[in-house]
């Protein structure tokens, strides 16, 4: 599982996204798209022009969305909990 937040400085939605991910204990990496040209181009290639952009790579596939989306982040937490439960049951 890999969650990346493509962010920029002074972005209210970026701050809210990172805070909620942290509060829900979802491990994530933050990439500043104003300092990383390749990251900026990647976000644009996904079709986004607003920050933040969240990319979640899970075993079931990759999800991505733009802007602060509390319901998507909470859904991601539930997915991670389900994956952890299944892994525990299969061990």
């Amino acid at each position: 599982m890999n969650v990346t937040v493509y962010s920029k400085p002074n972005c209210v939605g970026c701050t809210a996204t990172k805070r909620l991910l942290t509060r829900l204990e979802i491990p994530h990496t933050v990439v500043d798209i104003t300092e990383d040209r390749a990251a900026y181009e990647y976000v644009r290639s996904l079709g986004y022009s607003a920050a933040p952009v969240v990319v979640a790579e899970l075993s079931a596939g990759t999800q991505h969305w733009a802007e602060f989306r509390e319901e998507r982040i909470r859904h991601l937490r539930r997915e991670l909990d389900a994956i952890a439960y299944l892994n525990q049951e299969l061990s």
Side-chain angles (χ1 to χ4, degrees):
M1 187 256 333
N2 186 25
V3 177
T4 304
V5 180
Y6 294 93
S7 182
K8 64 182 186 176
N10 303 314
C11 168
V12 174
C14 300
T15 300
T17 296
K18 293 181 283 188
R19 281 186 183 157
L20 185 56
L21 287 167
T22 299
R23 189 170 41 150
L24 295 178
E25 298 180 354
I26 299 173
H28 60 282
T29 302
V30 177
V31 177
D32 184 340
I33 60 173
T34 66
E35 299 199 9
D36 185 330
R37 183 71 180 175
Y40 173 78
E41 293 298 332
Y42 174 65
V43 165
R44 296 289 293 167
S45 77
L46 293 174
Y48 299 114
S49 59
V53 172
V54 178
V55 178
E57 298 171 359
L58 305 171
S59 57
T62 300
Q63 307 174 21
H64 50 83
W65 65 87
E67 302 183 22
F68 176 62
R69 303 275 304 272
E70 181 175 357
E71 74 284 354
R72 293 290 302 261
I73 297 169
R74 291 189 182 283
H75 181 75
L76 179 60
R77 175 72 267 169
R78 289 189 298 272
E79 284 185 284
L80 295 174
D81 290 344
I83 291 168
Y85 175 80
L86 290 173
N87 285 338
Q88 182 180 3
E89 288 296 310
L90 295 174
S91 311

